[in-house]
Amino acid sequence: MRRDNIRNVAIIAHVDHGKTTLVDAMLWQSGLFRQNQAVRERVMDNLDLEREKGITIMAKNTSINFGNVKINIVDTPGHADFGGEVERTLTMVEGVLLLVDASEGPLPQTRFVLQKALEKRLPIITVINKIDRPDRRPGEVLDDLYSLFIDLDADDSQLEFPVFYSNAKQGAAWASLSEATSETPDNKEPRPNLLPLFEAIVQHIPAPQGDPEAPAQFLATNLEWSDYLGRMCVGPLRQGSLKSGQEVALLKNGEVALKAPLKAIFTFEGLNRVEINEVAAGDIVVLAGLPEAFIGDTVADPFTPVALPPVVVDEPTLTMEFAVNSSPLAGREGSILTSRQIRARLEKEALFNVSIRVSVDPHSSGESFQVGARGELQLAVLVETMRREGFELTLGPPKIIVREIDHQIHEPMELAVIDVPEEFVGVVTEKLSARKGRVVKLANHGSGRARMEVQAPTRGLIGYRSQFMTDTRGAGLLNTLSMGYAPWHGDIKGRANGSLIADRQGVAITYALFHLQPRGSIFASPGEPVYPGLIIGENSRPEDIWVNPCKEKKLTNIRASGSDEALRLTPPRRLSLEEAIEYLREDEVLEVTPKSTRLRKKSLQR
């Protein structure tokens, strides 16, 4: 049976192509907000880190009403590191809106999410966004999209997708390019809106199917928390119906794990969850009362429990060590310090994030943990979240996860899509070649910028992003996509520069830092605490040097210790958390506290 009054759709795209802005416009035009209501931009990005970084990290649900049809919308992350969010989101919906920038065209995450959608045979509506950009090239972008569909083995029916052109900031969509790019709109025409897009969703996205009289089957695809109801699971009700207070069975790996009554059932209305007494198949709902529920579990009728296929996501490609902070400054800035607390927090993260893997390091006596993830940004977001909660940590350098295939070591590969001014193509090619990268495509659209596609080992791209920004003077764009595994590519040289390492405990002094400046770039500021093994700067040469950052100007019988000309220090080089993780060598670790990040040697002994 079809629920013709419901549509479930996910919005997918590469990072910064306008997904969340388009959802904002859809919410406004659905009448969810009052005309004079104060609503912040990117209202779906409700996490502090999302608003600071300008990206979506967690998939979120909302709904709008178009006529008598309820449209459940899932806003998904656009960064490749959070691909696990997209993969489980696609199990909730019957179709997708694929957003592509009118200038940048399809990028790595576009390819990743489109491939997953095609594998699930989901209907696709394509939206070429930011059609108001002066450097727009919608015709070429549409050709690139068709090429991408063909590359991903789309069949004839999947190639017949509807195409719309939009300006998400203005809340406008058009079905034809001529209307979208018209410079002199007819004043008699109504103001452009998203009506063509709403109509396309209702027309092209199939209604969910499910027999409301059959035994209930619900798939948990997301988890939420309530201070009053505890853990709640979000997902689609595939068949049957559920009532508040009804006893249900929770199935794990196909087996009944427990039977319990439902405390409450919620559905989405706009940005809010609304409690209801009963729900029928086809809707996306929230169930409370199952404290042991996990992503991929099935909630079913207790008398005829039948499990749904679990959520399957790609495996992690990177791992990083999380350990107790063991530096001499441990415990001064954070409140959560023990390995037991760190382990509990990581295990909680693995419950809510299906692409994270946590294991105890067997060589650490339970003091450190290996955390697997899709990329450095995903690890950095987890670390930043933990430090804001009060944790102190020691982080090891990120390492790739290798596999043995046919008695041969294989390593993860990535496709780097690089957009740079054409004068920097040479230096980028040279640096990536040294990291075992191979240029597979190079295109110049005549706008002064070139687009390169480079296949490289994941370990070759670790630490390259900061070097890339330096080489391209901040004008380059680098995006990556996991490409599976390939035979080991051989040794790759790491960081070329050594470190300046403090040789004693104390406080950094202006006089000492001034005389250390000629040796390289300095990370420390006067007055900051230092200890033996702390990295206070980068040496201009390959070797490490132990230095004294606490040296003061001594009083003599000729002059006072405070006289002489003023010492002017170059502002210290401050590494962000992501940059610091990339910077690490094998024998170095990163000390992270709620207030500071400090690079140091793994062994504090000289």
Side-chain angles (χ1 to χ4, degrees):
M1 297 179 64
R2 290 163 54 95
R3 292 287 304 276
D4 289 321
N5 62 336
I6 293 179
R7 297 293 186 276
N8 300 321
V9 62
I11 299 186
I12 58 177
H14 189 83
V15 65
D16 201 32
H17 279 196
K19 297 181 306 303
T20 308
T21 305
L22 181 64
V23 175
D24 275 4
M26 296 173 83
L27 291 172
W28 272 106
Q29 294 188 24
S30 69
L32 180 65
F33 307 123
R34 298 191 313 273
Q35 192 66 33
N36 62 343
Q37 186 173 344
V39 181
R40 64 187 181 185
E41 289 185 3
R42 294 186 292 112
V43 66
M44 294 293 286
D45 286 347
N46 53 15
L47 302 179
D48 291 341
L49 272 177
E50 290 180 323
R51 304 199 66 79
E52 290 171 20
K53 292 181 176 291
I55 61 174
T56 302
I57 294 172
M58 299 290 291
K60 302 175 192 67
N61 296 69
T62 186
S63 76
I64 58 175
N65 290 310
F66 178 66
N68 62 348
V69 178
K70 175 185 178 182
I71 303 175
N72 287 311
I73 300 173
V74 189
D75 183 22
T76 63
H79 198 284
D81 283 15
F82 307 108
E85 293 286 307
V86 180
E87 287 179 85
R88 62 180 174 79
T89 294
L90 294 182
T91 63
M92 302 169 64
V93 298
E94 282 74 42
V96 298
L97 240 63
L98 176 66
L99 240 69
V100 182
D101 189 290
S103 173
E104 295 179 3
L107 285 175
Q109 184 68 356
T110 315
R111 183 186 187 94
F112 172 80
V113 294
L114 179 59
Q115 181 179 8
K116 298 297 181 183
L118 291 174
E119 288 173 359
K120 293 182 179 295
R121 309 289 304 173
L122 295 175
I124 295 165
I125 298 173
T126 301
V127 181
I128 298 179
N129 192 30
K130 303 188 182 181
I131 200 66
D132 58 325
R133 286 184 62 158
D135 58 345
R136 63 180 181 261
R137 46 185 193 94
E140 295 173 43
V141 167
L142 185 56
D143 289 342
D144 291 344
L145 272 172
Y146 279 116
S147 299
L148 180 57
F149 271 74
I150 293 168
D151 254 1
L152 297 175
D153 298 325
D155 59 32
D156 291 343
S157 62
Q158 291 173 319
L159 283 170
E160 295 176 1
F161 52 84
V163 181
F164 292 85
Y165 304 88
S166 72
N167 181 343
K169 280 190 174 180
Q170 291 184 1
W174 299 269
S176 73
L177 180 59
S178 58
E179 293 178 4
T181 55
S182 174
E183 298 291 339
T184 55
D186 187 350
N187 291 331
K188 296 180 181 179
E189 292 292 327
R191 183 180 176 184
N193 54 35
L194 295 176
L195 183 62
L197 202 55
F198 288 138
E199 292 174 343
I201 291 173
V202 174
Q203 180 180 351
H204 293 285
I205 303 298
Q209 296 186 6
D211 184 359
E213 303 300 326
Q217 279 185 313
F218 167 93
L219 180 65
T221 55
N222 200 359
L223 298 177
E224 294 186 2
W225 177 263
S226 166
D227 291 337
Y228 303 101
L229 297 170
R231 184 182 300 177
M232 301 189 294
C233 43
V234 183
L237 182 58
R238 296 295 188 200
Q239 67 177 30
S241 60
L242 292 173
K243 295 181 180 179
S244 183
Q246 172 186 343
E247 185 178 61
V248 294
L250 178 67
L251 282 73
K252 293 179 177 289
N253 301 317
E255 302 293 333
V256 176
L258 65 90
K259 294 182 180 180
L262 293 176
K263 291 181 181 177
I265 302 174
F266 299 88
T267 188
F268 291 97
E269 287 189 12
L271 301 175
N272 302 316
R273 292 194 304 257
V274 178
E275 187 170 358
I276 55 176
N277 290 322
E278 185 176 4
V279 63
D283 209 349
I284 295 176
V285 295
V286 186
L287 304 182
L290 302 168
E292 297 181 17
F294 179 55
I295 292 170
D297 292 348
T298 299
V299 177
D301 184 88
F303 303 106
T304 53
V306 179
L308 290 165
V311 178
V312 179
V313 300
D314 290 345
E315 291 296 313
T317 56
L318 284 179
T319 182
M320 194 164 71
E321 181 185 29
F322 283 53
V324 174
N325 185 11
S326 56
S327 87
L329 302 179
R332 295 190 183 184
E333 298 176 350
S335 57
I336 308 177
L337 312 171
T338 67
S339 60
R340 177 184 59 80
Q341 292 169 313
I342 294 172
R343 179 174 186 169
R345 177 62 180 83
L346 292 175
E347 289 176 345
K348 178 183 176 183
E349 183 69 24
L351 282 178
F352 287 83
N353 192 334
V354 292
S355 59
I356 289 282
R357 302 286 187 273
V358 179
S359 60
V360 179
D361 190 336
H363 306 294
S364 67
S365 303
E367 291 292 314
S368 69
F369 312 92
Q370 295 295 330
V371 180
R374 291 282 186 86
E376 295 153 272
L377 179 60
Q378 188 179 21
L379 290 167
V381 166
L382 172 57
V383 173
E384 181 65 33
T385 304
M386 291 178 67
R387 71 184 291 200
R388 293 185 182 197
E389 294 171 0
F391 283 86
E392 286 195 11
L393 302 165
T394 296
L395 305 177
K399 299 176 181 178
I400 61 168
I401 299 174
V402 298
R403 294 179 181 175
E404 186 175 339
I405 303 174
D406 297 329
H407 306 291
Q408 187 179 6
I409 297 298
H410 283 59
E411 62 178 327
M413 298 290 293
E414 292 191 15
L415 177 70
V417 178
I418 299 169
D419 191 305
V420 292
E422 54 192 16
E423 63 264 29
F424 299 124
V425 169
V427 65
V428 170
T429 304
E430 178 187 354
K431 294 291 176 64
L432 283 173
S433 296
R435 294 169 175 263
K436 307 294 184 182
R438 182 170 61 90
V439 178
V440 294
K441 186 177 180 181
L442 177 61
N444 191 330
H445 300 296
S447 60
R449 296 181 72 88
R451 168 87 47 100
M452 305 168 60
E453 292 187 7
V454 182
Q455 288 183 1
T458 299
R459 61 191 170 97
L461 295 175
I462 294 175
Y464 174 66
R465 194 174 296 273
S466 56
Q467 179 68 53
F468 171 78
M469 297 307 291
T470 301
D471 290 342
T472 61
R473 300 175 190 173
L477 298 172
L478 170 64
N479 297 285
T480 59
L481 171 68
S482 177
M483 296 292 289
Y485 280 72
W488 185 263
H489 280 61
D491 293 334
I492 298 175
K493 290 184 178 179
R495 195 176 80 225
N497 299 80
S499 302
L500 301 177
I501 309 163
D503 64 357
R504 65 197 67 198
Q505 189 150 354
V507 174
I509 302 297
T510 302
Y511 179 79
L513 296 179
F514 179 78
H515 289 90
L516 289 174
Q517 283 183 158
R519 292 195 175 274
S521 58
I522 303 298
F523 300 157
S525 295
E528 289 185 357
V530 297
Y531 55 82
L534 181 71
I535 298 173
I536 64 158
E538 182 180 76
N539 191 8
S540 56
R541 297 186 178 183
E543 64 271 7
D544 293 340
I545 301 178
W546 291 74
V547 297
N548 178 9
C550 308
K551 184 178 180 181
E552 296 178 326
K553 182 181 175 186
K554 299 301 182 184
L555 171 67
T556 69
N557 58 354
I558 299 175
R559 66 182 75 181
S561 62
S563 64
D564 215 342
E565 79 271 6
L567 302 180
R568 292 181 174 84
L569 293 178
T570 303
R573 177 181 167 191
R574 296 297 188 189
L575 300 178
S576 67
L577 182 60
E578 292 94 330
E579 291 170 337
I581 290 173
E582 289 181 351
Y583 188 85
L584 292 172
R585 276 180 170 172
E586 281 295 318
D587 62 338
E588 297 170 351
V589 293
L590 179 65
E591 176 190 352
V592 178
T593 72
K595 297 180 181 178
S596 312
T597 56
R598 304 181 184 96
L599 294 161
R600 68 173 178 87
K601 289 294 181 181
K602 188 174 292 186
S603 173
L604 301 182
Q605 301 300 318
R606 185 167 181 175

